């Protein structure tokens, strides 16, 4: 879709940018908008012709000449007005739906192409609110703007027609309208800022609610439901305050308008009435003056569309803040045949004021199992994301088989790299589709073989529908879901497989079985594993030890075990250099905590 080029997420997004987004939407949906404009123009033309037709009918009845013709013409105009209204309603609904759909597709596509680390700037609830609610409001703006333009055009045409019928009545009309225009302008200017605050509070409320619902088990287990309710509803105070401010602004404006509009109409009708009394105007002309005066004042009715536009501009700004997330530019080169050698050359990644990775130089051997270890915040996950280009380094290069990842065609890169995550999402429909997700062509037997390798085939087989069980409602534990994610990575048979803490939810026995698959079943393919347990590191061909974004050490687990700081990484697991438990007190025994409740 044409529109503003993506900006960095730090750049300030203003209402001017929102206006450009609405203009781009208008260009994208020009066909249904053109149909809506045609219907609106027809409706406006009929509305402008009606007072004149009514005046002609009145004069014809008074004079007794041509009454039938004038009445028939009036009836034809009324029928035309009804048809134009119906057609405009249909086309405007179509145009609005088209604009909303176009904007949502653009936002969704942008998010799926964005740097993964940048998307974490927004919570899931905030993104959902902007993708669903804000796109609907911003997508309605082009049709609202068109309605406002045609409404103002109808008012302007009515004023011209009023001058044509009686210039004195036209001058009387103009004398009373400036005050109305000032009132409207002040109102719209004030509510624009209030709408920004209102939508911001709405977004915070949606984000907190989504977070709480996602962690409902933790809330129930901790007994903090009331505390969470208070936290989720905290933005309601801002929402209520802003909402009341909007209502106060609207109420002040409404009574002013309701007072001024009748005064203008009375002034115009008084001038026209004097014209009839003086013989300057016919009775029909008085009817026409009344009709055009009422139609001329319909610009006041544009207050609702103007509010809609203010709301749409505010929503467009919130949508653009998502579209401002940096996108990873797509390369075009293909990946040459190779064993899967991974290289990091002078790689630096900065998040805010923190260097997550600082000038990293690494060579991951082709076909080897490499474990990445380190304390929380050392940069392990960032390194894993860089390896498959889910994020981009600020400086330096990442290469696979000598080819820079940023130069590669995205489809080619995805075929070469497989991921398994700590909390995998089961997408695709049923269990079989969730395992095969991202694999173009596969068989049910291949899916089952991958599940067996990930030690999850027996779990799936016990489900009522087996591999046809809907993934969304399957009664699976966190460790079982992790194993399904592992099966998905194993099925890909990629030259580089990356496991980002993908075995953290497994029990010791299952992890040992899965690790055996990684060591033996995937021999010859490059594996990069973010590890927290010494048993995994002990079986790796190479261990990369990260500390504060730098490489503290590299070598085998046995070699690094000589360092006390390295051994402390795995406390309280306390395994020796072979990954075997030390003798002594059992690891992981927690001390009893005092409780105020009886046991």
């Amino acid at each position: 879709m044409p529109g503003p080029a993506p900006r960095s997420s730090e750049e300030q997004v203003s209402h001017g940018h929102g206006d450009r987004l609405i203009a781009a939407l208008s260009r994208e949906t020009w066909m249904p908008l053109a149909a809506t404009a045609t219907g609106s123009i027809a409706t406006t033309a009929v509305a402008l012709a009606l007072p004149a037709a009514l005046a002609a009918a009145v004069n014809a009845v008074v004079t007794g000449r041509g009454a039938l013709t004038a009445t028939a013409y009036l009836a034809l105009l009324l029928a035309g007005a009804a048809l134009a209204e119906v057609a405009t309603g249909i086309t405007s609904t179509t145009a609005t739906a088209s604009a909303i759909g176009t904007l949502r597709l653009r936002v969704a596509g942008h998010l799926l192409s964005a740097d993964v680390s940048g998307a974490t700037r927004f919570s899931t609830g905030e993104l959902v609110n902007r993708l669903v609610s804000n796109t609907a409001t911003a997508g309605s703006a082009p049709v609202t703007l068109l309605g406002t333009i045609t409404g103002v055009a109808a008012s302007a045409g009515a004023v011209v027609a009023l001058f044509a019928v009686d210039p004195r009545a036209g001058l009387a009309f103009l004398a009373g309208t400036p005050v109305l225009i000032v009132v409207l302008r002040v109102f719209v200017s004030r509510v624009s800022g209030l709408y920004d605050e209102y939508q911001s509070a709405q977004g915070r409320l949606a984000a907190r609610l989504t977070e709480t619902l996602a962690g409902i088990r933790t809330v129930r287990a901790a007994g903090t439901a009331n505390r969470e309710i208070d936290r989720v509803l905290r933005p309601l105070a801002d929402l209520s305050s802003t909402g009341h401010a909007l209502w106060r602004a609207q109420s002040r404006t409404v009574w002013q308008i309701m007072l001024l509009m009748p005064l203008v109409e009375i002034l115009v009708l008084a001038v026209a009435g004097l014209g009839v009394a003086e013989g300057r105007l016919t009775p029909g002309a008085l009817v026409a003056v009344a009709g055009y005066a009422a139609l001329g004042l319909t610009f006041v009715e544009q207050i609702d569309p103007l509010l809609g536009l203010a709301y749409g501009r505010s929503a467009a700004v919130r949508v653009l803040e998502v579209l401002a997330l940096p996108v990873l530019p797509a390369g075009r080169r293909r990946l040459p045949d190779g064993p899967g050698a991974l290289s990091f050359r002078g790689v630096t990644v900065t998040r805010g004021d923190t260097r997550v990775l600082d000038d990293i130089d690494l060579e991951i051997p082709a076909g080897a199992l490499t474990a990445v270890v380190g304390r929380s915040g050392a940069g392990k996950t960032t390194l894993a994301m860089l390896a498959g280009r889910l994020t981009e380094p600020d400086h330096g290069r990442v290469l696979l088989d000598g080819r820079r990842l940023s130069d590669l065609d995205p489809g080619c890169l995805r075929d070469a790299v497989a991921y398994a995550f700590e909390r995998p999402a089961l997408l695709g429909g049923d269990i079989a589709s969730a395992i095969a997700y991202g694999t173009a062509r596969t068989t049910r037997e291949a899916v089952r073989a991958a599940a067996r390798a990930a030690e999850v085939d027996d779990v799936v087989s016990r489900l009522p529908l087996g591999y046809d069980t809907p993934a969304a409602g399957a009664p699976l534990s966190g460790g079982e879901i992790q194993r399904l994610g592992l099966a998905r990575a194993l099925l890909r048979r990629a030259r580089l497989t990356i496991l980002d803490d993908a075995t953290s939810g497994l029990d010791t026995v299952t992890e040992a079985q899965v690790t055996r698959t990684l060591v033996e079943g995937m021999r010859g393919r490059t594996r990069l594993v973010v590890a927290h347990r010494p048993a995994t590191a002990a079986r790796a061909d190479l261990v990369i030890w990260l500390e504060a974004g730098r490489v503290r050490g590299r070598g085998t687990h046995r070699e690094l075990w000589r360092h006390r700081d390295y051994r402390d990484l795995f406390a309280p697991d306390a395994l020796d250099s072979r990954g075997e438990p030390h003798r002594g007190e059992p690891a992981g025994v927690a001390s009893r905590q005092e409780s105020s409740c009886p046991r």
Side-chain angles (χ1 to χ4, degrees):
M1 185 187 113
R7 297 169 298 279
S8 68
S9 58
E10 290 81 11
E11 185 176 337
Q12 184 71 27
V13 180
S14 67
H15 279 117
H17 293 124
D19 292 341
R20 287 198 286 275
L21 176 63
I22 292 171
L25 271 178
S26 302
R27 291 192 297 271
E28 180 70 12
T29 56
W30 70 269
M31 288 185 67
L33 273 178
T36 304
T38 302
S40 298
I41 291 170
T43 302
T44 300
V46 171
L48 290 171
L50 274 174
L54 186 58
V58 170
N59 286 334
V61 170
V62 171
T63 61
R65 294 191 299 272
L68 184 60
T69 302
T71 303
Y73 177 62
L74 181 60
L76 184 62
L77 280 178
L78 290 171
L83 289 173
E85 284 285 348
V86 172
T88 303
I90 294 172
T91 55
S92 63
T93 301
T94 303
T96 299
S98 177
I100 293 172
T102 298
L103 189 55
R104 283 178 177 166
L105 283 173
R106 182 182 177 188
V107 173
H110 188 90
L111 279 172
L112 293 175
S113 303
D115 190 313
V116 170
S117 61
T120 58
R121 169 188 172 200
F122 300 100
S123 68
T124 301
E126 185 70 22
L127 285 175
V128 170
N129 179 258
R130 296 185 188 220
L131 179 61
V132 178
S133 177
N134 294 151
T135 53
T137 305
S140 302
V143 170
T144 304
L145 178 61
L146 180 60
T148 303
I149 291 171
T150 54
V152 171
S155 294
V159 174
V160 172
L162 185 60
F163 269 94
V165 174
D166 183 18
R168 296 182 187 180
L171 290 172
F173 181 89
L174 291 182
T177 51
V179 179
L180 279 170
I181 293 173
V182 170
V183 170
L184 288 175
R185 180 173 177 78
V186 170
F187 174 66
V188 172
S189 175
R190 174 165 172 71
V191 299
S192 292
L194 290 173
Y195 270 133
D196 290 346
E197 297 173 18
Y198 190 83
Q199 292 195 88
S200 177
Q202 242 181 358
R204 292 198 303 274
L205 182 64
R208 294 185 182 196
L209 179 59
T210 304
E211 292 164 4
T212 299
L213 291 176
I216 190 67
R217 289 187 300 176
T218 302
V219 174
R220 291 289 300 277
T224 57
N226 290 334
R227 187 191 308 169
E228 277 301 303
I229 291 171
D230 291 341
R231 188 185 73 87
V232 170
L233 297 182
R234 202 165 294 144
L236 274 181
D238 295 334
L239 202 66
S240 174
S241 174
T242 308
H244 281 87
L246 283 168
W247 280 110
R248 285 193 298 271
Q250 191 166 357
S251 64
R252 282 196 299 268
T253 304
V254 166
W255 76 258
Q256 291 170 347
I257 290 174
M258 291 300 100
L259 177 64
L260 291 170
M261 282 181 63
L263 290 176
V264 173
E265 286 190 277
I266 290 171
L267 179 61
V268 172
L269 289 175
V271 171
L274 287 174
V276 173
E278 296 169 354
R280 184 168 49 83
L281 298 176
T282 64
L286 178 61
V287 173
V289 166
Y292 285 126
L295 188 58
L297 287 171
T298 56
F299 76 87
V300 178
E301 296 175 5
Q302 302 309 311
I303 187 169
D304 286 336
L306 287 173
L307 289 177
L309 283 175
Y311 209 12
R313 293 176 74 206
S314 178
V317 168
R318 289 172 59 79
V319 171
L320 276 173
E321 287 173 349
V322 177
L323 293 176
L325 292 172
V327 172
L328 297 177
R332 295 186 176 181
R333 302 184 68 181
R334 299 191 63 79
L335 186 65
D337 292 335
L342 183 65
S343 304
F344 296 85
R345 308 276 176 82
V347 169
T348 297
V349 176
T350 304
R351 298 287 179 257
D353 297 328
T354 304
R355 283 200 170 188
V356 182
L357 292 176
D358 189 3
D359 198 23
I360 296 290
D361 283 298
L362 281 176
E363 296 294 332
I364 307 299
L369 172 61
T370 301
V372 181
V373 303
R375 297 189 183 280
S376 177
K380 304 184 297 297
T381 292
T382 302
L383 189 77
M385 288 197 298
L386 286 168
R389 207 188 175 219
L390 296 183
T391 189
E392 194 89 303
D394 295 295
H395 301 286
R397 299 177 297 160
V398 183
L399 302 96
L400 182 59
D401 288 323
R403 187 64 53 83
R404 190 169 180 169
L405 297 189
S406 58
D407 294 336
L408 296 177
D409 174 80
C412 183
L413 179 60
R414 295 280 75 83
D415 289 340
V417 181
Y419 269 98
F421 299 104
E422 179 184 7
R423 290 184 290 273
L426 301 183
L427 305 174
D430 56 29
I431 296 291
S433 299
I435 294 175
Y437 189 78
T439 304
R441 291 177 296 275
T442 190
T443 64
R444 179 60 65 91
E445 183 51 41
V447 168
R448 294 201 65 169
R452 284 193 293 271
E455 302 294 334
V456 75
D457 176 62
D458 58 334
V459 174
V460 178
S461 299
R462 290 196 299 268
L463 294 173
L465 299 177
Y467 283 86
D468 295 319
T469 303
L476 299 170
S477 68
E480 290 163 348
I481 292 174
Q482 272 195 347
R483 280 182 271 169
L484 288 175
L486 282 168
R488 181 165 58 204
L490 296 174
L491 180 64
R492 300 281 300 279
R493 300 190 64 82
R495 73 173 72 179
L496 171 62
T497 300
I498 302 165
L499 277 64
D500 184 6
D501 206 12
T503 60
S504 60
L506 308 186
D507 59 77
T508 305
V509 174
T510 303
E511 186 193 24
Q513 294 168 336
V514 169
T515 302
R516 187 164 53 249
T517 297
L518 293 175
V519 175
E520 302 296 336
M522 299 181 69
R523 189 175 298 279
R525 282 183 278 159
T526 307
R527 293 139 290 164
L528 183 66
V529 181
V530 174
H532 288 86
R533 294 181 181 176
T536 305
R539 289 164 175 77
D541 301 304
L542 173 68
V543 177
I544 304 297
W545 176 15
L546 292 181
E547 186 174 280
R550 290 179 171 271
V551 177
R552 170 77 183 272
R554 70 190 83 190
T556 65
H557 180 68
R558 182 183 293 272
E559 293 167 347
L560 295 175
W561 192 258
R562 302 189 188 101
H563 297 272
R564 178 182 178 84
D565 290 347
Y566 181 82
R567 294 195 299 272
D568 289 345
L569 291 176
F570 303 107
D573 290 329
L575 302 195
D576 63 20
S577 62
R578 295 168 297 174
E580 301 296 333
H582 279 303
R583 295 182 179 180
E585 292 186 2
V589 177
S591 61
R592 291 186 179 179
Q593 298 180 0
E594 295 298 327
S595 173
S596 59
C597 297
R599 295 185 179 277

